[in-house]
Amino acid sequence: REPAPPGSEAWREGAGGYHVGRGIELLDQVVSNAERHSLSLLLELHAAPGGQSGRQTTGRSDPTWEPSRFDADGALSALRLVATRYNSSRSVVAISPLNEPELSNEVLLPYYQRAYETVRGSGMRAGQVAFVLQLYGLGAIFSLGWAALDSPEGLPAARYPNIIFDLHLYYGVLVPPFPALFDRLASPHFVAGPLVHLESMLLDVGSRPALTGEWSLRTPYATDDQSALPRRFDAQSDGEHNATMRALGRAQLGEPPHDKAERIITTTPSLSWPLAPCR
């Protein structure tokens, strides 16, 4: 995703609702500045043509969005343009074909396979640039990571080298999608400690290096009148809340296990590892 300064008119509406404008010009500046200051970049297609969900993270919030609007060919064209343009940049160490998709595996798998071939065919070699696939929420570790991406019909390591899984996890919205039993029984202590360790363990047993690209210290909050876990957090005293937040922060900063730290990156404020060891 490429943030643009206010008033820059980086994007405008084009045909079919797509955004066009000065995006490449601004991305050139980002890559140039990264090279000048020896920074590493992960380039990500944050808003696919047609959208990969109806959420604001795709560029617009649209409750009427349907998966049939996702334009795989348009997304691949964007990836081809970016991969070809920056395939010789010493700062671009990773590229991601989609942000937080809400699409079925039947749509995602062929798209990811084509996206991988597109990026590699555009000059971003497997030994040079990592290909980052997102697991949006803990459930995606099972439904997408283990069940699909790691399968022989998915993107197995033997045929698709240098793929990294990227987990986006926000503890503020754990309920839903967790089952009602979790909502009734889970405590703030469990969320702030064991649940974080469980997340790391699940990623650790996968076939790929993994990172947590987005996370938050926001604790669970109610999305309806039925959720019990958010009320347990709200009932904490100031001292209990501070202790919970510190425990949650320590747990997340302490994961994944140190023996895998050299091939993991995270975007936490005070801890990061470069993508270079994944090359």
Side-chain angles (χ1 to χ4, degrees):
R1 180 170 56 179
E2 164 215 333
S8 65
E9 297 183 352
W11 307 103
R12 62 177 174 81
E13 290 293 321
Y18 295 165
H19 294 100
V20 296
R22 296 179 54 224
I24 287 296
E25 176 187 338
L26 295 174
L27 196 54
D28 282 346
Q29 295 176 16
V30 170
V31 173
S32 176
N33 287 333
E35 292 175 344
R36 183 177 303 113
H37 297 288
S38 300
L39 300 176
S40 296
L41 296 175
L42 189 167
L43 303 181
E44 178 184 82
L45 182 58
H46 212 269
Q52 66 272 22
S53 76
R55 302 183 185 274
Q56 53 84 21
T57 49
T58 66
R60 69 170 65 176
S61 178
D62 183 2
T64 68
W65 178 85
E66 297 179 353
S68 59
R69 296 187 192 176
F70 173 62
D71 183 354
D73 291 335
L76 293 172
S77 294
L79 284 174
R80 184 177 298 107
L81 172 64
V82 171
T84 301
R85 195 174 188 88
Y86 305 116
N87 60 20
S88 62
S89 171
R90 63 181 181 273
S91 285
V92 177
V93 298
I95 189 167
S96 178
L98 213 53
N99 174 72
E100 297 182 357
E102 295 183 14
L103 299 164
S104 67
N105 288 355
E106 289 73 22
V107 174
L108 284 176
L109 281 183
Y111 169 69
Y112 284 157
Q113 291 168 343
R114 295 174 64 196
Y116 185 94
E117 299 298 340
T118 296
V119 166
R120 299 305 183 216
S122 299
M124 286 189 169
R125 300 184 302 276
Q128 173 191 8
V129 178
F131 190 76
V132 179
L133 295 178
Q134 283 188 13
L135 304 177
Y136 184 29
L138 272 177
I141 297 176
F142 303 97
S143 62
L144 180 59
W146 291 1
L149 295 175
D150 280 345
S151 71
E153 295 76 25
L155 287 87
R159 300 204 312 270
Y160 299 89
N162 203 9
I163 288 179
I164 298 174
F165 289 160
D166 173 12
L167 179 68
H168 286 193
L169 183 64
Y170 290 90
Y171 292 94
V173 287
L174 286 174
V175 183
F178 276 86
L181 183 64
F182 176 88
D183 180 44
R184 291 203 306 270
L185 300 180
S187 67
H189 170 75
F190 176 79
V191 172
L195 183 61
V196 179
H197 296 299
L198 174 62
E199 164 210 341
S200 177
M201 180 192 72
L202 293 174
L203 285 174
D204 201 44
V205 299
S207 66
R208 302 286 191 169
L211 64 99
T212 300
E214 292 186 19
W215 62 271
S216 170
L217 288 178
R218 179 68 162 90
T219 54
Y221 56 90
T223 57
D224 54 49
D225 295 333
Q226 308 301 318
S227 299
L229 180 59
R231 290 198 294 273
R232 295 190 189 101
F233 278 90
D234 292 340
Q236 289 185 313
S237 67
D238 289 345
E240 291 171 332
H241 179 72
N242 286 339
T244 298
M245 295 294 287
R246 290 179 181 276
L248 182 58
R250 285 196 303 268
Q252 294 194 63
L253 288 171
E255 298 293 353
H258 296 300
D259 63 338
K260 296 189 76 174
E262 298 243 61
R263 56 190 182 92
I264 309 295
I265 64 168
T266 176
T267 56
T268 52
S270 59
L271 182 65
S272 64
W273 293 288
L275 267 170
C278 299
R279 288 178 175 175

